[in-house]
Amino acid sequence: MTRLLISFLSLFGVAMSEPVSDSIVSRDGNVWFASQPSEADLDAWAAAGAKLVINSRTPEETANLRFDMRTAVESRGMRYAELPIGGAYGANPALTPQLTQLLQSADGPVVMHCRSGTRSAHLYAAYLMTQDPSNTHPFDTMGWPGGRDMGMVHALTPDPTD
């Protein structure tokens, strides 16, 4: 029913400003944090105007999904990027400048997701700290309701002297 309503409203040029999706955990402006989406969630994100989906799951985790994530995202008109965190990929500080570039090039809302949203939130927290080094409480700034591991945020934060 929700998809039908969104489709109907879009015929009249009405765009939903927030996705109707159970996977959205939190928002910070045009950046939405989500748990692993279903294809119905991807439909809702696209209908709400999301332009970019950033997957922080590892390729191994993503390969175990019942659908091809990249194809599913791109077939709905959104861009797709992978910034894997965890497993053999660890918490690589090189991901934060990549995230910065992606966010700067986004022409609309961005959805960052992993299994629960937590890895994505930690990467975004590192991004916030690189944008404003005086921000020592990035999770409060972004309103993140989940787990907070500043050790992981620091691991994802590039050394400013490099």
Side-chain angles (χ1 to χ4, degrees):
M1 180 68 174
T2 300
R3 252 192 276 161
L4 178 62
L5 177 61
I6 291 170
S7 296
F8 178 75
L9 290 173
S10 68
L11 291 173
F12 296 98
V14 177
M16 301 291 287
S17 61
E18 293 186 6
V20 178
S21 169
D22 292 335
S23 65
I24 299 295
V25 177
S26 179
R27 293 174 182 82
D28 183 33
N30 269 346
V31 179
W32 307 334
F33 305 96
S35 59
Q36 175 58 53
S38 65
E39 290 188 87
D41 292 320
L42 297 177
D43 290 336
W45 298 354
K51 301 296 183 189
L52 171 63
V53 174
I54 300 172
N55 178 2
S56 294
R57 298 191 83 181
T58 66
E60 295 78 13
E61 291 174 299
T62 302
N64 288 325
L65 298 176
R66 294 181 185 187
F67 59 94
D68 180 276
M69 179 62 91
R70 178 180 297 278
T71 300
V73 167
E74 291 175 349
S75 71
R76 288 162 173 83
M78 299 177 286
R79 289 178 30 222
Y80 178 78
E82 291 182 344
L83 299 178
I85 301 170
Y89 298 87
N92 186 341
L95 296 177
T96 303
Q98 291 175 34
L99 175 62
T100 300
Q101 290 176 347
L102 288 167
L103 293 175
Q104 288 174 347
S105 71
D107 58 348
V110 174
V111 184
M112 295 179 66
H113 84 86
C114 53
R115 186 185 60 77
S116 67
T118 301
R119 285 177 274 180
S120 294
H122 282 72
L123 178 57
Y124 186 74
Y127 159 78
L128 289 175
M129 290 180 68
T130 62
Q131 299 303 299
D132 177 7
S134 70
N135 183 355
T136 58
H137 301 286
F139 292 109
D140 294 338
T141 301
M142 60 195 266
W144 176 248
R148 300 170 178 208
D149 179 352
M150 287 306 293
M152 179 184 237
V153 174
H154 291 300
L156 287 164
T157 304
D159 182 343
T161 61
D162 287 343

